[in-house]
Amino acid sequence: MTGYVIGILVELSGEPAPVRCYFALGIEDRAKAEWTAVDAAQDVGRIASSPYKGQEPVEMLAELTAARMKTLGLKPGEVRALGVNWPRRWMTG
């Protein structure tokens, strides 16, 4: 089992530009993980419709191994919002 860290550009009210929100997903299929992250991001704000400063609206940033998922406590099928700060804890290992 593998998972992914996915970044979604979201337009937040009061922000002059789209903000990247990060999600960890315990979903093995990359396309399904990306669409699931988009669904989760819609709860945060409107998804950006085009790239901004070289960042794609939906971008897979890291693949999580089963061992890494276990270390971080991410269960298969789980979707975890990681916020807007770079998720360095999830990106290393």
Side-chain angles (χ1 to χ4, degrees):
M1 177 69 197
T2 58
Y4 297 95
V5 175
I6 297 177
I8 308 288
L9 283 177
V10 178
E11 297 173 356
L12 301 175
S13 62
E15 292 291 331
V19 174
R20 174 148 285 167
C21 294
Y22 300 97
F23 297 87
L25 297 103
I27 298 174
E28 196 163 17
D29 180 82
R30 180 177 169 178
K32 183 177 180 180
E34 288 174 344
W35 280 108
T36 303
V38 168
D39 289 343
Q42 288 178 351
D43 292 338
V44 177
R46 186 171 163 248
I47 309 301
S49 58
S50 61
Y52 179 74
K53 292 190 176 183
Q55 293 182 335
E56 291 295 324
V58 179
E59 191 171 358
M60 190 278 290
L61 301 170
E63 187 171 344
L64 301 170
T65 64
R68 187 76 181 135
M69 286 175 53
K70 185 175 181 179
T71 299
L72 295 168
L74 184 67
K75 296 179 176 111
E78 183 181 358
V79 177
R80 191 179 300 177
L82 303 176
V84 297
N85 295 322
W86 180 254
R88 63 184 170 90
R89 180 174 160 232
W90 290 82
M91 304 300 282
T92 59

